[in-house]
């Protein structure tokens, strides 16, 4: 589960930059920015696979929460890549809101930050955190529909 997370999450960087490009933000279409996005993906993959896995597997701890056994990583090192990705999503969402009047990616990302941070220690933290991540994914898909041209020739 964690390995898949470390591989898939950094690839969302490309999705965010493509959404900005499709939304008409010309700077996101430049070769330099696209190259920087690929470089950032490589760095995040490296961080996740090398640093995250190195600190993760020896440190995985079993925990029973609300009667369900789960394994969690007590170190922040394992959460670094998702935190960086959510920061990129927050900035992308803010740019889409300001330039394209589309607030949903920004607001859903902000909601994830708030719930994951504020409610993590509460008994509802896991449930609410997972629910807001589902809302974030819905907002991400809706953003893709918003920025994708309606006609192939457009």
């Amino acid at each position: 589960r964690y390995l898949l997370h470390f591989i898939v999450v950094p690839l969302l960087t490309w999705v965010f930059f493509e959404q900005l490009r499709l939304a008409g933000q010309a700077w996101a279409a430049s070769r330099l920015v696209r190259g920087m996005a690929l470089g950032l993906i490589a760095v995040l993959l490296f961080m996740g696979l090398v640093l995250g896995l190195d600190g993760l597997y020896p440190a995985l701890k079993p925990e029973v929460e609300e009667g369900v056994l789960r394994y969690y990583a007590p170190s922040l090192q394992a959460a670094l890549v998702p935190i960086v990705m959510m920061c990129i999503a927050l900035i992308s969402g803010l740019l889409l809101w300001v330039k394209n009047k589309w607030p949903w990616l920004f607001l859903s990302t902000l909601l994830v930050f708030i719930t994951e941070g504020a409610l993590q220690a509460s008994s509802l933290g896991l449930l609410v955190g997972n629910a807001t991540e589902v809302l974030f994914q819905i907002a991400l898909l809706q953003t893709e529909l918003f920025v994708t041209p309606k006609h192939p020739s457009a």
Side-chain angles (χ1 to χ4, degrees), residues 33-63:
V33 170
R34 293 168 75 81
M36 289 172 56
L38 289 173
L40 181 57
I41 291 169
V43 167
L44 291 172
L45 282 168
F46 175 81
M47 285 173 54
L49 293 173
V50 175
L51 302 176
L53 290 179
D54 181 50
L56 176 70
Y57 285 123
L60 278 178
K61 305 284 184 213
E63 172 185 73

Side-chain angles (χ1 to χ4, degrees), residues 5 9-10 12-13 16 44 79-94 104-116 129 132-137 139-140:
H5 203 253
V9 168
L12 287 174
T13 302
F16 298 132
L44 291 172
L80 190 57
V81 171
I83 290 170
V84 170
M85 281 310 306
M86 292 309 284
C87 289
I88 295 169
L90 196 66
I91 294 166
S92 296
L94 183 61
W104 305 116
L105 183 61
F106 175 80
L107 293 175
S108 67
T109 307
L110 187 61
L111 186 63
V112 169
F113 265 121
I114 291 168
T115 58
E116 292 285 347
T132 58
E133 287 187 25
V134 169
L135 291 176
F136 167 75
Q137 294 297 328
L140 187 61

